[in-house]
Amino acid sequence: MSEQLLSLDELEGLSLEQLVALIPMPPTTTLENKRRITLGRSDTPPPRKSSIPCLQSDSAINQSLIQSFCVGDIGKEQRIQLYQMLLKLESLQLGEVLGKAYQSFGEVSTPDSSPSVDSPRKKSSGLLKGLKIGSRNAKGISVMVSKHTLDFGLKEPCPLKEEVTDEITVTIKNVKSKFVFLLPPESSSYSLKVTPDTGSFKKKTEVKFVFSLTMNSAIYLEEIVSLEIEGIGRVLFIIKLQTERSVFGEELSQYYSGGKVVIPPVLEQMKEFFIANNGLATPEIFRITSSDVDLLQIKDQINRDVFEGACDVHLIANLIKTWFRELPEPIL
């Protein structure tokens, strides 16, 4: 079949065999030599996932900017610059600069500027619109946090499709105040929750917050979570995590560049074995299910680039369905 663009009407009239034939074979791989196809992603970092745009700006530490944001509000471009600056800091340095900013709580007075949090927004964009919350001028206010970075106890890449948790403790002395967490916008690439997300601090009390994270796609996650404390200030927590490498649930945007689309290597690989095992002529193909154990085993082999092939054509067909089913943005 000649290489040409087909309309939807023309595609609807094609048989399964003709549709599969439209997928090009890898140019450097043949069935005869049975050479394993390398997925080519071991040296390619996963796509960055963040609600914070990148700005080409000076990332030097600006302590006054951090302090201004923690006790009040700043402009949109300044917030973007601030977030980019904080994301580049190591944990120790991050704790130092945020700790200095929190020392200013209770020192800034902006009467009547603090909004009520009786009906808080539980979700907000990563670029917070900012609440003018430094409204109290109470001496002796103390805010302490157990840590500034959420690492979920991971020393290795974050697993996919598994919930991981982390805890932080925030202690406030000499003041009562309501609070609300502002999380990044919802994303199909990951799910982030915090409990409790709203509530109140009492004098000389501490509250433990539990964060739950599930990564659905192979990404590098960069986000900032904000704890808004009414009348006191804004406490920030940083998330920087990389998922384990996977071609299942990956972002398709990495295969589109300069107006050209590259077929994901894993589809080329599965097409090769699908055709080699007479998949086009197999009855009930794509209808007979495979065991979860077999699917997980082959998925792991593909992700580690050690997949040498499979003789069960129904297993291969289910792998193809699984690949499409786990896309962050469904296309079927």
Side-chain angles (χ1 to χ4, degrees):
M1 185 174 294
S2 61
E3 295 184 2
Q4 57 179 329
L5 294 177
L6 300 179
S7 67
L8 289 177
D9 291 337
E10 290 174 318
L11 288 174
E12 289 178 352
L14 297 179
S15 65
L16 175 61
E17 183 174 355
Q18 290 173 318
L19 288 172
V20 173
L22 291 176
I23 304 176
M25 291 293 293
T28 59
T29 307
T30 62
L31 290 176
E32 287 75 15
N33 60 28
K34 296 186 181 342
R35 185 171 72 84
R36 176 174 57 86
I37 300 175
T38 299
L39 300 182
R41 299 187 67 248
S42 57
D43 298 325
T44 303
R48 173 181 178 270
K49 188 69 177 181
S50 177
S51 58
I52 307 162
C54 291
L55 283 186
Q56 300 297 324
S57 58
D58 184 11
S59 60
I61 297 176
N62 186 333
Q63 188 67 46
S64 62
L65 182 64
I66 299 173
Q67 180 172 325
S68 297
F69 185 58
C70 287
V71 297
D73 199 9
I74 56 179
K76 181 177 180 180
E77 285 199 4
Q78 287 181 308
R79 290 197 300 274
I80 296 175
Q81 182 181 4
L82 171 65
Y83 277 24
Q84 286 295 313
M85 176 180 63
L86 293 177
L87 288 172
K88 292 181 179 180
L89 297 180
E90 298 295 333
S91 295
L92 183 60
Q93 193 176 24
L94 180 68
E96 292 177 354
V97 298
L98 290 179
K100 289 180 181 179
Y102 301 157
Q103 290 176 5
S104 63
F105 288 163
E107 298 177 0
V108 178
S109 179
T110 53
D112 301 324
S113 62
S114 180
S116 171
V117 293
D118 290 333
S119 300
R121 293 180 301 161
K122 294 185 179 181
K123 299 287 182 179
S124 175
S125 66
L127 303 176
L128 301 179
K129 295 182 179 179
L131 303 178
K132 296 181 179 180
I133 48 185
S135 61
R136 294 180 180 172
N137 192 10
K139 294 183 179 180
I141 291 179
S142 174
V143 177
M144 295 177 290
V145 299
S146 57
K147 61 180 181 179
H148 304 277
T149 302
L150 296 168
D151 58 14
F152 297 89
L154 297 171
K155 296 182 179 180
E156 298 180 352
C158 183
L160 291 170
K161 306 292 184 179
E162 294 182 19
E163 184 180 76
V164 293
T165 61
D166 203 352
E167 294 182 357
I168 58 170
T169 300
V170 179
T171 304
I172 289 187
K173 295 182 179 180
N174 299 329
V175 69
K176 296 180 180 180
S177 188
K178 297 179 182 180
F179 68 81
V180 56
F181 260 102
L182 297 184
L183 301 179
E186 293 184 358
S187 170
S188 58
S189 298
Y190 69 94
S191 172
L192 177 65
K193 300 178 181 178
V194 58
T195 304
D197 56 358
T198 61
S200 299
F201 287 105
K202 299 179 180 180
K203 284 187 176 181
K204 296 183 180 180
T205 188
E206 65 178 32
V207 177
K208 180 181 291 184
F209 299 95
V210 179
F211 290 82
S212 302
L213 174 68
T214 302
M215 303 290 269
N216 300 317
S217 302
I219 59 173
Y220 179 71
L221 179 63
E222 288 185 326
E223 287 293 358
I224 295 182
V225 178
S226 173
L227 172 61
E228 313 275 313
I229 307 175
E230 185 181 41
I232 298 178
R234 176 181 286 112
V235 179
L236 305 176
F237 301 97
I238 312 299
I239 301 176
K240 292 192 290 186
L241 286 178
Q242 180 172 319
T243 62
E244 61 186 7
R245 178 181 170 275
S246 177
V247 296
F248 293 87
E250 61 184 354
E251 299 279 350
L252 289 182
S253 57
Q254 62 186 303
Y255 296 110
Y256 178 80
S257 178
K260 296 183 180 180
V261 177
V262 177
I263 295 177
V266 65
L267 284 185
E268 295 178 339
Q269 184 183 36
M270 289 189 286
K271 173 198 171 184
E272 177 184 2
F273 290 109
F274 182 82
I275 294 176
N277 287 278
N278 203 31
L280 298 177
T282 301
E284 301 294 315
I285 197 64
F286 293 111
R287 293 186 178 181
I288 297 178
T289 60
S290 301
S291 73
D292 291 339
V293 174
D294 289 340
L295 281 173
L296 289 174
Q297 182 179 13
I298 299 301
K299 284 175 64 177
D300 181 63
Q301 292 178 6
I302 291 176
N303 286 331
R304 292 187 291 110
D305 279 346
V306 296
F307 180 56
E308 298 288 350
C311 296
D312 185 351
V313 69
H314 294 290
L315 177 58
I316 299 172
N318 278 282
L319 280 170
I320 296 173
K321 291 195 299 183
T322 299
W323 188 89
F324 280 102
R325 187 182 299 120
E326 294 187 2
L327 288 174
E329 300 293 339
I331 60 176
L332 293 181

